[in-house]
């Protein structure tokens, strides 16, 4: 083979390599595309929405339940979870006199109410039953509440700025819960009320002697 022919052969091989290079690039392109579809390191994949779960044979009942009651998926789930988690309890609703404060609370239909004789409870006739904070929900009026404290400042006496009614508060005995005024509940959900007098004038002694009051705000 002459030098000219050898030169043409070398140019031909280089040209073939150049022609083949897009094929290599396309493999790299496919690799990049596949990599882009994967979750980036350190990031979690988004959790599937409520409608993404497989309800199996219950799918028809679930859809019919939502349609019949005109509920979103979240509303239906909350309704059923509440019914399961608060089994044996009823949902009471209530509020202040003017309606600026509204709440709901899960508790027994048979209420155990404390009648305290401490200075402030006597002044405002603060009879109340105690629930865990997780069972209470303020529906409206957070910006219309004001709070009074005194002495140890542990009890948070909240009342409506407009009408002055205290429909609930945070007791000193149960700072992890709420004391609910039974007389501020809407009618129809209370079956009975048992009232227990508690000696708030000797608060420390009363709390030491009482066997169950501290547990009433535990979930």
């Amino acid at each position: 083979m002459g030098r000219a022919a050898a030169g043409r052969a070398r140019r031909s091989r280089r040209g073939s390599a150049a022609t083949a290079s897009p094929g290599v690039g396309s493999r790299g392109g496919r690799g990049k595309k596949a990599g882009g579809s994967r979750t980036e390191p350190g990031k979690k994949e988004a959790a599937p929405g409520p409608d993404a779960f497989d309800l199996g044979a219950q799918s028809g009942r679930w859809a019919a339940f939502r349609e019949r009651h005109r509920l979103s998926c979240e509303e239906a789930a909350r309704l059923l979870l509440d019914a399961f988690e608060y089994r044996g309890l009823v949902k009471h609703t209530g509020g202040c006199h003017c309606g600026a404060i509204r709440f709901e609370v899960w508790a027994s239909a048979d209420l155990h109410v404390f009648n305290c004789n401490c200075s402030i409870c006597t002044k405002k006739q603060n009879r109340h039953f105690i629930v865990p904070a997780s069972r209470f929900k303020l529906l409206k009026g957070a910006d219309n509440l004001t709070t009074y404290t005194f002495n140890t400042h542990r009890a948070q006496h909240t009342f409506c700025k407009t009408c002055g009614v205290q429909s609930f508060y945070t007791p000193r005995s149960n700072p992890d819960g709420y004391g609910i005024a039974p007389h501020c509940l809407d009618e129809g959900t209370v079956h009975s009320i048992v009232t227990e007098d508690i000696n708030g004038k000797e608060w420390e002694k009363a709390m030491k002697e009482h066997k169950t009051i501290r547990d009433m705000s535990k979930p």
Side-chain angles (χ1 to χ4, degrees):
M1 181 184 295
R3 292 179 180 176
R8 284 195 298 270
R10 285 195 294 271
R11 285 196 297 272
S12 177
R13 286 195 294 271
R14 284 197 298 269
S16 298
T19 304
S21 62
V24 176
S26 66
R27 288 195 297 272
R30 285 195 298 271
K32 184 177 182 181
K33 184 176 181 181
S37 66
R38 293 193 295 267
T39 304
E40 294 180 17
K43 290 187 177 181
K44 295 181 179 180
E45 292 185 8
D51 287 319
F53 294 109
D54 182 8
L55 297 173
Q58 305 305 315
S59 298
R61 290 182 65 197
W62 177 253
F65 177 80
R66 288 181 53 197
E67 183 177 357
R68 183 166 61 251
H69 298 284
R70 297 181 180 180
L71 299 171
S72 68
C73 192
E74 180 183 358
E75 290 168 338
R78 181 188 175 195
L79 181 66
L80 296 177
L81 287 169
D82 284 347
F84 180 80
E85 292 178 353
Y86 302 143
R87 192 177 302 174
L89 305 178
V90 298
K91 183 169 73 172
H92 305 280
T93 56
C96 65
H97 183 264
C98 71
I101 310 301
R102 293 292 298 170
F103 63 83
E104 66 180 35
V105 59
W106 286 89
S108 173
D110 301 298
L111 301 178
H112 185 112
V113 172
F114 290 103
N115 182 34
C116 179
N117 66 352
C118 76
S119 60
I120 191 166
C121 286
T122 298
K123 290 282 187 182
K124 63 180 179 177
Q125 294 295 288
N126 183 28
R127 289 178 290 276
H128 59 278
F129 62 96
I130 297 170
V131 297
S134 61
R135 294 183 186 170
F136 176 88
K137 182 179 181 181
L138 183 63
L139 300 175
K140 60 176 285 193
D143 57 347
N144 210 57
L145 286 170
T146 190
T147 302
Y148 172 69
T149 66
F150 71 103
N151 195 8
T152 64
H153 303 284
R154 293 198 69 188
Q156 303 289 305
H157 299 274
T158 47
F159 55 95
C160 176
K161 292 179 182 178
T162 304
C163 64
V165 169
Q166 176 184 288
S167 53
F168 69 92
Y169 84 115
T170 305
R172 178 184 174 189
S173 60
N174 300 77
D176 54 346
Y178 288 99
I180 314 297
H183 44 276
C184 288
L185 298 180
D186 299 333
E187 295 182 359
T189 53
V190 178
H191 180 261
S192 68
I193 294 178
V194 174
T195 302
E196 178 185 355
D197 292 332
I198 191 162
N199 186 14
K201 291 181 178 179
E202 298 179 281
W203 190 87
E204 288 81 4
K205 180 182 178 183
M207 291 302 105
K208 185 176 180 179
E209 293 177 351
H210 204 287
K211 304 301 182 185
T212 60
I213 191 169
R214 300 282 196 184
D215 295 329
M216 291 182 173
S217 53
K218 305 301 180 189

